[in-house]
Amino acid sequence: MTLAAALIESLASSARSVSLADGDVLVEQGDAADTVYYIESGSVAASKRTPQGEVLVGTVEAGQVIGEVTVVAGGLRTATLRAIGPVVVLEFERSDFEAWLNSHPEIADSVSDEARERVDRTNVATMVAELMGSSDRQLVQQVVDRVEWRRLEAGEVLFREGDAADAAYFIVGGRVIVLADDAEGNEQLIAELGRGEVVGELGLLDRAPRSATVRAVRDTTLASFSTSTFEELVATSPAMMLNVTRGILTRVRKPTQRRFDRAASLTIAVTAPGDADAIVAEIVEEIARFGTAKHLSSARVDRVLNRTAISQAATDNVGVPRLAEFMHEADVGNDHVVLQTDREMSAWTRRALRQADRVLVVCSPNPDATERALITELFGTVDDASHVARMLAVLHPSSTDRPRRTGSLIAHWKVDDVVHVRSGSADDVARLARLASGHGYGLVLSGGGARGFAHLGVLRALRERGIPVDEVAGCSMGTVVAAGIALGLDGDELMVRAEQQFHRLLDYTLPIVSLVKGARITRNIDETFGTWDIEDLWLPFYCVSTNLTKSRLEVHRRGSTALAIRASVAIPGVLPPVPYQGDLLVDGGVLNNLPFEVMRDNSTIETIVAVDVAPDQGPRARSDYGMSVSGFQALGASLRRTKSDYPSVTSVLLRSMLTGAVRNQKASMKDGSVDLLLTLHLPGVGLLEFDRSREVAVAGYEASKPTIGHWAASRPELGAH
């Protein structure tokens, strides 16, 4: 017996009859899925909203059931249904349908494939319309009717670099990564693509060998459209070639970024050992601020599907088809899926890890042997080649003054990100949720000498508008402020500490290595950060220095915070270089004075706020002193209070360092990688005027406040913080 026949036989008496006229809407895309429909007479058209307009993706004829899988799996309606002529439908309440379905497991399993294909075809139609840049139903339907379905398990390769380009693939559910070999033959991550994306589309136009390898990050469903089929259709419809060519050219002109596609779902596997279950529910609640979020655990799956231990089913067990379709629908029907694992390596835990884009483990600050063993197994199950991120959240008691020995903790495991959370802190949980779901806010602060005190004013303006800071980074003076923020200091304390660190900065010495010894600033930095490792800071933090030995940017994410700061502020010629693992490090501003690119490549960060305080112009020639300068003449001018006639050696060195970095920075910002760029014009503030700290901070606040306010007003999610 078919689903429709069995449903009508059992529940017709409890159904509500609904009559529709031509064009009437039965359900709207995005509505809550709380009813199931049986088309008694007539037919309805299914359409989806796309950037190209509304696209007709199919019809549902009399005698068919629609909406059943979405109701069970949860999520929102994936399409709009409109009557074609007079239509009569029977409407079943969610509770009645679920109760009936649970009492007929053999029917529930049998409808899975049909339901999946219907939903998947709808999604493919949307992707085809976007690829072609056209809502022409005939063109779209020609492609959809000819696709072939393909399933990839986590880690499985779709195609390899050098393979023949024989098809384009529409990603219906799951996620893939694009990899290519660099000049040394090492495999590099190029892009990450999720639901709603197309991969290999150039193969439709060019049969040249594949230029990259594509591998599934997790279990992935694709629709394959072969080049041979494409050529057949083009022969009968030349317009298709024109539309597809335009669509592909539009896509390839977009800048490539290694950041998660925000239109696609993100699946997070979360393990909360011990008594930390409650934090998972809090994380899901916070993630839901950014779209629909589905929370699934083994117990929840068993309860919804009304099958004892169906979540633990092996692939050859009865009920697996229904479980697989349930998981698939949760993926394609929601923006985020949170899979809470068991506290052991059960079949459900392994399934969750196989489905995950990110693995988040919540642990205690001092895990016992049992907890350590589980975490080791969880992280060890993640294949390095999959590029699935491993995140560790350390849950501290509410009274914890500071994290400790995090470095020794993570030394046991391969961890990509560490987040510290205080029990009972809503702000900490919200930050963890944003980072875990890829919606984090990052703050990047530039170098600029004493002008860097303006960062403190910017921080005040950000906090007044409720703009969170989930990760912070800096260069040179920006590093000092960023580290203070990561330390958890409030605005007033930050000001005091910054003033202390740069008080009486210059301890001059015989200028063989540098103009100053660096003892004072080193001592000042140590007083605040000397006992802190970067891993122990309350906020994720990095800073940059320049490796003189290897001519590269050095990114500091681990180890001594004080050493990282001291290296980042080591102005060449002014402060001594910092020895580091046999190399010499100087100020990061030599290569990158505003290192937002590092944060851009972090999949936990969605929104980047960057603050540039470097002056537009350097010192000017106040007088024509010729091609040579006598130090005695300059000293005399200084004594006569006319020293402005001669630029100081420190200002020349500092500005020379910034010039190239500023030029490179401006060129790289053109790709829109920074969501809010604050370029602060602070007229009259010199690079070395550290005695004007509070004045400069106020200037930074006043200069940034209007822009921040206007930008924050355009971000609806900020209303919740």
Side-chain angles (χ1 to χ4, degrees):
M1 184 179 295
T2 64
L3 170 66
L7 183 62
I8 296 302
E9 181 180 292
S10 303
L11 292 182
S13 61
S14 64
R16 184 172 73 93
S17 181
V18 179
S19 298
L20 303 172
D22 183 47
D24 285 352
V25 174
L26 178 62
V27 300
E28 190 77 34
Q29 181 181 339
D31 286 350
D34 52 9
T35 50
V36 175
Y37 300 97
Y38 170 75
I39 311 299
E40 192 170 42
S41 64
S43 59
V44 297
S47 62
K48 292 198 70 171
R49 294 187 296 271
T50 75
Q52 288 71 42
E54 194 162 3
V55 177
L56 187 64
V57 295
T59 58
V60 185
E61 306 292 343
Q64 290 185 281
V65 176
I66 192 166
E68 71 280 20
V69 177
T70 307
V71 163
V72 174
L76 305 177
R77 300 291 189 189
T78 59
T80 297
L81 300 178
R82 285 190 179 87
I84 304 174
V87 174
V88 178
V89 302
L90 297 180
E91 183 182 80
F92 303 91
E93 293 296 326
R94 176 176 187 157
S95 57
D96 293 336
F97 177 75
E98 286 183 337
W100 173 81
L101 194 64
N102 291 331
S103 65
H104 296 75
E106 71 288 350
I107 294 177
D109 288 342
S110 68
V111 304
S112 296
D113 286 341
E114 179 184 347
R116 171 189 268 196
E117 184 171 341
R118 185 171 66 241
V119 175
D120 289 351
R121 283 172 63 87
T122 299
N123 292 325
V124 170
T126 304
M127 287 181 272
V128 170
E130 184 176 356
L131 175 66
M132 299 193 304
S134 171
S135 59
D136 187 302
R137 180 192 175 186
Q138 185 176 5
L139 287 175
V140 171
Q141 203 61 47
Q142 281 183 313
V143 177
V144 175
D145 288 343
R146 301 292 291 275
V147 300
E148 297 180 357
W149 301 105
R150 183 163 179 184
R151 321 284 186 206
L152 297 179
E153 294 185 355
E156 188 175 351
V157 172
L158 177 62
F159 55 75
R160 296 188 181 278
E161 186 174 354
D163 286 354
D166 56 358
Y169 300 90
F170 301 96
I171 304 173
V172 179
R175 190 174 299 278
V176 302
I177 51 176
V178 182
L179 306 157
D181 291 341
D182 60 18
E184 287 74 37
N186 300 313
E187 199 171 63
Q188 299 294 318
L189 177 64
I190 302 300
E192 300 176 73
L193 304 174
R195 191 187 76 214
E197 288 283 338
V198 186
V199 62
E201 66 270 32
L202 286 175
L204 299 177
L205 306 179
D206 184 359
R207 287 183 173 267
R210 300 290 192 188
S211 59
T213 296
V214 175
R215 181 185 296 125
V217 173
R218 56 182 168 95
D219 292 356
T220 299
T221 300
L222 307 104
S224 170
F225 183 50
S226 70
T227 53
S228 57
T229 301
F230 174 67
E231 290 167 357
E232 290 176 16
L233 294 177
V234 167
T236 60
S237 179
M240 179 173 289
M241 172 62 82
L242 179 61
N243 281 276
V244 170
T245 301
R246 286 175 176 171
I248 291 176
L249 288 176
T250 299
R251 291 173 59 85
V252 299
R253 286 170 180 163
K254 294 180 180 178
T256 300
Q257 296 186 14
R258 286 168 42 187
R259 297 170 71 179
F260 279 92
D261 175 17
R262 302 304 168 192
S265 68
L266 183 75
T267 298
I268 310 164
V270 182
T271 301
D275 59 353
D277 272 358
I279 198 174
V280 181
E282 295 175 31
I283 290 170
V284 175
E285 184 179 352
E286 289 294 333
I287 290 175
R289 298 182 188 273
F290 299 94
T292 58
K294 189 71 174 178
H295 179 194
L296 297 175
S297 64
S298 56
R300 287 170 178 258
V301 171
D302 292 347
R303 184 169 61 251
V304 172
L305 298 183
N306 197 30
R307 297 277 194 91
T308 301
I310 190 177
S311 60
Q312 310 293 349
T315 54
D316 56 351
N317 285 4
V318 175
V320 167
R322 189 180 180 196
L323 174 61
E325 304 313 316
F326 176 79
M327 299 291 291
H328 179 70
E329 279 302 305
D331 177 29
V332 302
N334 295 277
D335 300 306
H336 313 86
V337 180
V338 178
L339 303 177
Q340 184 175 353
T341 73
D342 298 327
R343 295 193 182 99
E344 60 184 3
M345 289 301 296
S346 63
W348 168 253
T349 296
R350 295 186 182 281
R351 179 183 290 274
L353 295 173
R354 194 172 66 246
Q355 299 268 117
D357 299 305
R358 179 166 291 120
V359 175
L360 168 62
V361 176
V362 181
C363 79
S364 61
N366 300 292
D368 58 21
T370 301
E371 189 177 355
R372 285 179 179 271
L374 176 59
I375 297 173
T376 299
E377 194 167 10
L378 288 165
F379 283 148
T381 303
V382 179
D383 185 1
D384 289 344
S386 69
H387 291 271
V388 171
R390 304 170 177 92
M391 177 179 286
L392 185 73
V394 185
L395 185 60
H396 302 271
S398 58
S399 59
T400 303
D401 60 338
R402 55 173 289 181
R404 289 177 170 83
R405 298 182 294 278
T406 309
S408 61
L409 180 65
I410 64 176
H412 300 281
W413 311 302
K414 186 171 183 179
V415 178
D416 299 296
D417 302 284
V418 178
V419 183
H420 294 287
V421 180
R422 284 160 286 209
S423 181
S425 171
D427 289 341
D428 286 1
V429 173
R431 180 175 68 253
L432 173 60
R434 288 191 295 269
L435 292 171
S437 61
H439 295 287
Y441 278 71
L443 177 64
V444 186
L445 307 178
S446 81
R451 295 165 66 93
F453 285 111
H455 293 312
L456 299 173
V458 174
L459 179 65
R460 174 188 168 190
L462 291 172
R463 287 174 170 171
E464 286 181 352
R465 293 308 301 253
I467 300 171
V469 177
D470 300 316
E471 180 173 333
V472 64
C475 175
S476 198
M477 185 61 181
T479 293
V480 178
V481 178
I485 296 171
L487 199 65
L489 302 177
D490 61 28
D492 292 338
E493 197 170 4
L494 263 172
M495 172 62 73
V496 172
R497 297 291 183 93
E499 287 178 323
Q500 290 174 345
Q501 288 162 24
F502 286 89
H503 178 64
R504 298 181 65 190
L505 173 66
L506 303 180
D507 46 356
Y508 289 100
T509 185
L510 189 65
I512 296 178
V513 177
S514 59
L515 290 175
V516 301
K517 292 186 289 186
R520 288 178 180 172
I521 191 171
T522 300
R523 182 177 61 252
N524 293 344
I525 292 172
D526 283 343
E527 286 177 359
T528 299
F529 301 102
T531 62
W532 287 80
D533 285 337
I534 294 175
E535 304 95 306
D536 292 330
L537 296 173
W538 282 112
L539 293 187
F541 163 86
Y542 72 85
C543 68
V544 297
S545 64
T546 299
N547 190 315
L548 287 181
T549 306
K550 296 184 171 88
S551 301
R552 72 183 187 194
L553 195 70
E554 200 75 40
V555 181
H556 301 270
R557 289 192 177 275
R558 299 283 189 268
S560 168
T561 303
L563 183 146
I565 296 173
R566 175 63 179 80
S568 189
V569 304
I571 304 169
V574 178
L575 286 165
V578 175
Y580 177 75
Q581 298 178 357
D583 298 340
L584 291 177
L585 306 182
V586 297
D587 198 306
V590 172
L591 291 179
N592 193 334
N593 196 48
L594 188 61
F596 62 86
E597 298 94 340
V598 180
M599 192 173 288
R600 179 189 60 194
D601 291 338
N602 185 349
S603 63
T604 67
I605 300 298
E606 180 178 22
T607 303
I608 297 177
V609 178
V611 187
D612 182 14
V613 298
D616 293 332
Q617 295 184 340
R620 301 182 63 86
R622 303 290 182 182
S623 64
D624 187 358
Y625 47 76
M627 298 295 182
S628 63
V629 176
S630 166
F632 294 105
Q633 290 178 340
L635 177 62
S638 176
L639 295 174
R640 295 191 300 272
R641 301 184 183 275
T642 58
K643 62 179 179 179
S644 59
D645 290 346
Y646 297 89
S648 69
V649 64
T650 51
S651 65
V652 171
L653 287 172
L654 185 55
R655 185 62 195 182
S656 299
M657 178 193 73
L658 290 175
T659 298
V662 169
R663 287 174 60 89
N664 293 336
Q665 170 191 316
K666 290 179 178 179
S668 62
M669 280 184 181
K670 294 180 179 180
D671 64 359
S673 299
V674 174
D675 299 274
L676 174 61
L677 173 62
L678 297 168
T679 303
L680 303 189
H681 301 287
L682 305 168
V685 179
L687 294 170
L688 300 175
E689 295 181 298
F690 293 102
D691 57 337
R692 299 173 62 187
S693 55
R694 296 183 180 271
E695 176 191 345
V696 176
V698 171
Y701 174 76
E702 297 294 340
S704 63
K705 183 179 177 180
T707 303
I708 290 173
H710 179 75
W711 181 78
S714 68
R715 312 276 301 190
E717 76 274 12
L718 294 176
H721 301 288

